Amino acid sequence: VDKKILAGGLGMIIIGIMITFAYSDQPIGQSGMSEEEVIDLLIAEDQNQAYQMLSGILIGVGFLLILISFGFFSSGTTRSIFT
């Protein structure tokens, strides 16, 4: 197990989960909003969606790094799945 890659993967997963919890609240509009408030709401919804995508990418890449870390020997060579 390559500990550096494993630690990096775990760190990415933890940061992704933290971003998910920090931006889990959806912006909510109200009736009778002015045009400026509607624009601010649309911007907040777009930012929230971007943070959700970022957290998903971080969790996915972190999980991939964890899987890769188990494929390495301590000498630094990789195992071949075909031999």
Side-chain angles (χ1 to χ4, degrees):
V1 175
D2 190 359
K3 295 188 189 313
K4 290 179 184 177
I5 295 177
L6 179 65
L10 285 174
M12 291 179 86
I13 288 176
I14 290 169
I15 291 172
I17 291 172
M18 288 172 45
I19 290 174
T20 300
F21 285 130
Y23 293 97
S24 63
D25 295 333
Q26 292 285 342
I28 299 173
Q30 303 171 5
S31 61
M33 293 172 55
S34 67
E35 293 214 14
E36 184 178 323
E37 291 173 333
V38 170
I39 292 171
D40 289 341
L41 175 66
L42 292 175
I43 291 171
E45 286 177 345
D46 188 44
Q47 285 179 344
N48 191 3
Q49 184 179 8
Y51 280 121
Q52 287 177 352
M53 184 178 296
L54 174 66
S55 68
I57 291 170
L58 282 172
I59 292 171
V61 172
F63 183 70
L64 181 66
L65 284 176
I66 288 175
L67 290 178
I68 289 172
S69 74
F70 285 109
F72 284 100
F73 288 115
S74 61
S75 64
T77 60
T78 59
R79 283 188 270 177
S80 175
I81 61 171
F82 300 110
T83 57

